[in-house]
Amino acid sequence: MSAAAREALGKTPSQLPALREAGVVDAGGAGLVLLLDALYDEITGQEAAPVDLHVDASVATGPEMEVMYLISLPDAAAAGQLRQRLEGLGNSLIVAGEGDGTTHMVHIHSTDPGAAIEAALDFGRPEGIRIEVLEQPPVMPGAEDPYAGRTVIAVVPEGPLTNLVASTGAIPVSPTPRAVGKRDADREFDDDVITKVLTAMRAVPGRAEVMLLPNGLAGADELVQIEMAAAAGKHTLGIVPTSSIAAGLAALAVHDPARPLAVDAYAMSEAASGIRTATVDAGSQELPEQLRQRLDQTVTEMLGGGGELITLLLGNAAAASVVEPLRARLAASHAHVDVVAYDAAGIGDEIQIGIE
């Protein structure tokens, strides 16, 4: 227990900038360590080593910077050792695996970015290094907080959908990797959906709330890492469980930043859960008439469960050609049903259908 307390005491300068700048550890923590040492001495008869109340003061005087890079580590033990090495160099520290068992993302806010990078050299070669200055004008007491507000980040494939999402005021983030053969270390780092979301989040003012719509394009492990980074960056993050792009669009349609965060998240989640989805995929030899028949059949079956609005995400020009025939047929058989269609090149399917 005494050893663990000493270890925790040594980390306090990295947890409070005032301690780091003064070159001391937390006084209350030091008192607790002294108490535990006295108890250890009384029980064992062995005198504990004296408590060092001073640490090397930070000599960096420049602005705090956000440092991010990727590094391959052989195991969890190495990741833990790197984390310990970095703990005294800044705050908002994250060392998180990318899911392949070796690649780890490192994120830290530090006034000494060089030291944060050099610390990794004993463990491997950092790649995709990114350094950005973190500077925000102070808010005067009693003044209106210029950073208050709420921003929506939506994960959608690169292409027309990014423009559609941006037109709603949300920030689109693409999970789509660059073409094979055009990737270097920096581009590989950019290709990661976690980093892309963090980059978008970093552009959001510090005290703003962030709503994330994964739209079925970010996995659970990735969302965990995004949540960790949001907490490190002191963002209030709400993740709306949108399992498809159509569900994400439905959530965006009811988003209201004037509502409290929890109420807004509930309304968006309810809208997303009310969407029933399906896909119509075609082979390379599929003819427009065959595609139209398959779309009609799928929509008819889905309307058996009710619905008033059909959203069609069109993956290519052939898909666009079947929209008007569907509208004409539904006008005769389901006059109360509206059909909206969006160019969605890049979704990977011929047509994605959402009915609500």
Side-chain angles (χ1 to χ4, degrees), residues 13 30 71 100 117 151 187 209 224 228 232 250 252 278 308 319:
I71 186 169
D100 62 2
I117 295 171
T151 299
R187 289 181 175 177
E209 299 165 337
V224 168
M228 292 170 57
L252 273 175
E308 299 178 347

Side-chain angles (χ1 to χ4, degrees), residues 68 130 153 158 171-178 187 189-202:
M68 300 175 69
R130 304 179 71 173
I153 299 175
E158 197 167 331
I171 300 176
V173 169
S174 169
T176 309
R178 288 177 175 82
R187 289 181 175 177
F189 191 70
D190 288 341
D191 278 348
D192 180 76
V193 68
I194 301 171
T195 304
K196 290 181 178 181
V197 171
L198 294 184
T199 299
M201 198 177 298
R202 189 168 56 242

Side-chain angles (χ1 to χ4, degrees), residues 154-163 165-166 171-176 213-215 217 245 248-249 252 346:
V155 184
V156 292
E158 197 167 331
L161 284 175
T162 59
N163 296 329
V165 167
I171 300 176
V173 169
S174 169
T176 309
L213 310 181
N215 299 334
L217 301 173
I245 298 172
L249 295 178
L252 273 175

Side-chain angles (χ1 to χ4, degrees), residues 98-126:
E98 296 278 290
D100 62 2
T102 59
T103 305
H104 286 68
M105 178 192 73
V106 175
H107 169 282
I108 187 172
H109 294 175
S110 175
T111 56
D112 192 353
I117 295 171
E118 289 175 4
L121 296 178
D122 290 339
F123 299 87
R125 180 171 176 260

Side-chain angles (χ1 to χ4, degrees), residues 9 12 19 24-34 53:
L9 179 64
T12 56
L19 298 178
V24 297
V25 295
D26 181 73
L32 177 60
V33 171
L34 289 172
L53 301 180

